[in-house]
Amino acid sequence: LAAATLELKSEKQNAHTSGALGSISSVQFSPDGLKIVSGGTTDKTIKVWDAGARWAPKRLSLVKTDASTLLRSTLDLKTEKTNAHSDWIRSVHFSPDGSKIVSGSDDRTIKVWDAGANWASNRPSLTKLSLLARLAATLDLKTEKANAHSNNVSSVQFSPDGSKIVSGSWDKTIKVWDSGAPEASNRLSWAKLSVLPFHTGSLDLLTEKANAHSGVIRSVGFNNDGTKIVSGSDDKTIKVWKSGAIWLKITSLGPKLT
């Protein structure tokens, strides 16, 4: 196997600034690789950057574009949300379909933002203009949960189907939230259901694990099928939790963290 060279492809200096400080707490690619989201701690700003496009033969409107252009990462600023939180931003994460961004902050709040739509090969009818409109990240606030934790929210992440959000906090607690409906690709039987109630994005609490660690929780994340959650803490421990595999939340019952 070839060794990873980690060759620098692009960089953005002073991507976040706040006086003499400008630390960046969290970054992530969108699922389609076209965008990068970053969260600034001291400047309390969320920014979305142009990451360049990956070549894909099914992108009909891009076929005539020079592939070298598609592969270039410009890191041009697409949009930003200043004062996204009232305190330092600790974590940002795209939803699996790239349409939303969740953020967690020292203000103890979890917020979900409109990130626009990512490219999907099953959208052949999109015109170039409508595609650009769908790709635009407005960063309009979709929903929020104030006092989600009793201390700083250090880590947030969507589940693989987009239906849940896990959060970890300095209060040593792991919580799982209802983010609204699962991603479109997994809605196999939804055609006969009225899906509107599941798009409210109410951020209702599904379950929680108090004292999950003996120290501050720094990071949480779902596995690829959403049945387990991994957490890391200042107590020098990595833990894996059974989160359940509830696909559609019809009753008030949620997955149990055991």
Side-chain angles (χ1 to χ4, degrees), residues 20 47 64 70 85 92 158 164 170 207 249:
K47 297 187 179 185
K64 296 182 180 180
L70 289 173
H85 286 268
V92 289
F158 279 97
K164 298 183 284 289
W170 288 21
T207 189
K249 175 178 170 290

Side-chain angles (χ1 to χ4, degrees), residues 31-253:
D32 61 5
L34 297 176
K35 294 175 285 193
I36 292 170
V37 62
S38 62
T41 54
T42 52
D43 69 3
K44 308 169 190 173
T45 299
I46 298 172
K47 297 187 179 185
V48 177
W49 308 87
D50 179 10
R54 295 176 300 176
W55 177 259
K58 292 184 178 180
R59 293 179 189 167
L60 302 180
S61 65
L62 300 179
V63 169
K64 296 182 180 180
T65 306
D66 182 8
S68 64
T69 301
L70 289 173
L71 295 173
R72 186 176 66 243
S73 177
T74 62
L75 285 180
D76 291 332
L77 182 64
K78 296 174 71 70
T79 190
E80 64 181 314
K81 177 63 70 171
T82 59
N83 297 311
H85 286 268
S86 61
D87 209 333
W88 288 16
I89 296 171
R90 295 284 179 177
S91 181
V92 289
H93 191 268
F94 275 105
S95 63
D97 69 351
S99 67
K100 297 181 285 293
I101 292 169
V102 61
S103 59
S105 166
D106 285 2
D107 65 10
R108 307 179 183 183
T109 299
I110 297 171
K111 297 186 178 184
V112 177
W113 309 88
D114 181 8
N118 71 335
W119 177 271
S121 58
N122 60 354
R123 295 177 188 161
S125 62
L126 289 177
T127 65
K128 291 183 179 180
L129 288 178
S130 63
L131 174 60
L132 291 174
R134 293 182 69 102
L135 289 173
T138 62
L139 289 181
D140 290 332
L141 182 64
K142 295 177 71 70
T143 188
E144 65 179 299
K145 176 62 68 172
N147 298 312
H149 285 268
S150 61
N151 209 324
N152 303 342
V153 181
S154 53
S155 183
V156 288
Q157 189 191 63
F158 279 97
S159 62
D161 67 357
S163 66
K164 298 183 284 289
I165 292 170
V166 62
S167 61
S169 169
W170 288 21
D171 65 10
K172 308 173 187 177
T173 300
I174 299 171
K175 296 187 179 185
V176 179
W177 308 87
D178 177 11
S179 72
E183 300 301 322
S185 60
N186 291 332
R187 295 175 196 156
L188 300 179
S189 61
W190 278 47
K192 297 180 181 180
L193 297 175
S194 174
V195 301
L196 291 177
F198 301 98
H199 284 275
T200 57
S202 56
L203 287 180
D204 292 330
L205 181 64
L206 294 174
T207 189
E208 65 181 307
K209 187 69 174 182
N211 298 310
H213 285 267
S214 60
V216 167
I217 296 173
R218 296 291 181 179
S219 183
V220 291
F222 281 99
N223 71 332
N224 59 358
D225 66 1
T227 60
K228 292 187 280 291
I229 291 169
V230 63
S231 58
S233 166
D234 282 359
D235 64 10
K236 305 178 183 178
T237 302
I238 297 171
K239 295 185 179 184
V240 177
W241 309 88
K242 182 179 178 181
S243 67
I246 294 180
W247 180 75
L248 179 60
K249 175 178 170 290
I250 297 177
T251 69
S252 60
L253 296 177

